[in-house]
Structure formats: C-alpha cells, structure tokens
Amino acid sequence: PPTGMSYRPDTVCDGWSTAALDVRLASVRGYEHRHDGTQVEDDAAIAWDQGTGTVAFAVADGVSEAHQPHIGAQLACRSAVDEMLSQVRNEGGFVVDWHKMLSTVHWQLREQARRLLHLQDEAGVQETAELLGTTLVAGTATPTERGVEVSVVWVGDSGVTSSGCSSSMASSSRHSSSNWPSDSTGASRT
C-alpha cells in the first residue's frame, strides 16, 4: 500500500482505436518492487493527431539507482509526445527532427532537476541523471497509402523489437546523442 502523498498506481492500462490503429497500453509494478515497497518507476504516454491519423507514443523506464526515477520517466514521456505531436501537426504527419525531440526531453529533464535541487544555474548532466535517470523509447505510427509507417527512437538500454509487422519501407540506423545522459541511442523507421 502507498505510504505517502506521491501515490502511483501499481497497474495502469488503457486502450482505444482509430480508423487505422488499435492501441493497447499497460504498465504493471514488478514483483520485486512490490515486495520492497518501491513505487512504479516507469511511465508511458500516447496521443492521436486527428488531422493526420498519427499516433505518437513514448515509454520510459526510470533508472532504479536514481532518486526520483518516476518523475524522470513521466516527464520524458510527456515531453516526447508533446514535441512529436507538434512536429506531426506541422510536418504532414511525420516527425522530421528526432534530435530536436530528444533535445527537448533532455532540456525538460535538466530544467526539472534544477527546480527540484533549487539551483540558480542549469543542472548538470550527472546531477540530472542521479536525480531523474530514465530510458526512453518514443515513436510515431502514421497511416499512409502503403500501410502504417512506424518510426522509433530510443535512448538507454530499453530495446525495440517488431513482431507481426510488414511494410514496404524499412530503414534503421544507430547513433549517439551528446545531449542525453546515456550511453546508447538508436533509431528505426519501418
């Protein structure tokens, strides 16, 4: 049971459909966290742009060693989806600048760390990671005449796999981002 004011539910689930996509989202606190009394450290956000039919999504897994990983995960997801939807609405259904999206999330995390630590100047990358450390997987699913085009970017050790998907377009690349306090970043578009 919760022991304080910062209650986070053990289980979150949601689902809805658009004309082209069925969405299901679930997050469950693991057995070890439940046994130890540790709150859920992951988060997810998903939203639909009615004009283009694009679904923007983000999933983050807070780093257990961080002091406030649940705040970092929530902020990363909300910031990522907001930035992706902004680009989708201005670019005909697609995110055209993934670096900008990651930079926006990075800035939001550092700004939140500055506020939580009561700093006058910007919080450093190390301070931010120690306080709000999280992974992030974010992407979009855009209906096209050829099917649904899915683009994904990730930071950290959370993986991305595809199953049961077929597409006439596929490309992927792996790159690093100096703007994110992590050691691995990747991108894929299918």
Side-chain angles (χ1 to χ4, degrees):
T3 59
M5 292 297 291
S6 63
Y7 170 74
R8 291 182 52 92
D10 272 0
T11 304
V12 175
C13 61
D14 196 9
W16 40 267
S17 297
T18 69
L21 297 164
D22 295 314
V23 174
R24 303 295 178 262
L25 176 141
S27 172
V28 179
R29 181 166 70 159
Y31 294 124
E32 186 174 333
H33 281 352
R34 184 173 286 124
H35 178 267
D36 295 342
T38 305
Q39 64 187 344
V40 174
E41 296 172 342
D42 59 357
D43 205 88
I46 192 162
W48 175 57
D49 177 57
Q50 188 173 3
T52 63
T54 297
V55 172
F57 57 89
V59 177
D61 183 10
V63 176
S64 293
E65 291 78 20
H67 298 291
Q68 301 286 332
H70 60 291
I71 294 172
Q74 184 179 43
L75 184 59
C77 286
R78 301 307 185 269
S79 300
V81 168
D82 284 348
E83 176 58 32
M84 286 185 293
L85 282 179
S86 175
Q87 289 188 39
V88 160
R89 291 176 178 141
N90 292 319
E91 301 295 337
F94 297 95
V95 174
V96 296
D97 191 347
W98 290 103
H99 186 267
K100 179 180 180 190
M101 187 275 292
L102 291 174
S103 294
T104 297
V105 173
H106 176 77
W107 181 85
Q108 290 285 351
L109 288 168
R110 289 183 70 178
E111 182 59 21
Q112 182 66 26
R114 183 192 66 77
R115 286 191 295 264
L116 290 172
L117 295 170
H118 306 289
L119 301 174
Q120 294 296 321
D121 296 325
E122 186 175 86
V125 171
Q126 189 64 33
E127 290 170 303
T128 301
E130 289 172 2
L131 183 63
L132 303 173
T134 187
T135 67
L136 176 66
V137 176
T140 57
T142 303
T144 69
E145 291 178 3
R146 298 176 309 273
V148 176
E149 184 172 319
V150 177
S151 298
V152 177
V153 64
W154 67 94
V155 178
D157 62 0
S158 294
V160 177
T161 63
S162 79
S163 72
C165 298
S166 62
S167 175
S168 60
M169 300 169 46
S171 68
S172 67
S173 65
R174 195 150 178 78
H175 63 277
S176 63
S177 172
S178 60
N179 285 339
W180 191 275
S182 172
D183 58 1
S184 65
T185 304
S188 178
R189 183 173 175 170
T190 303

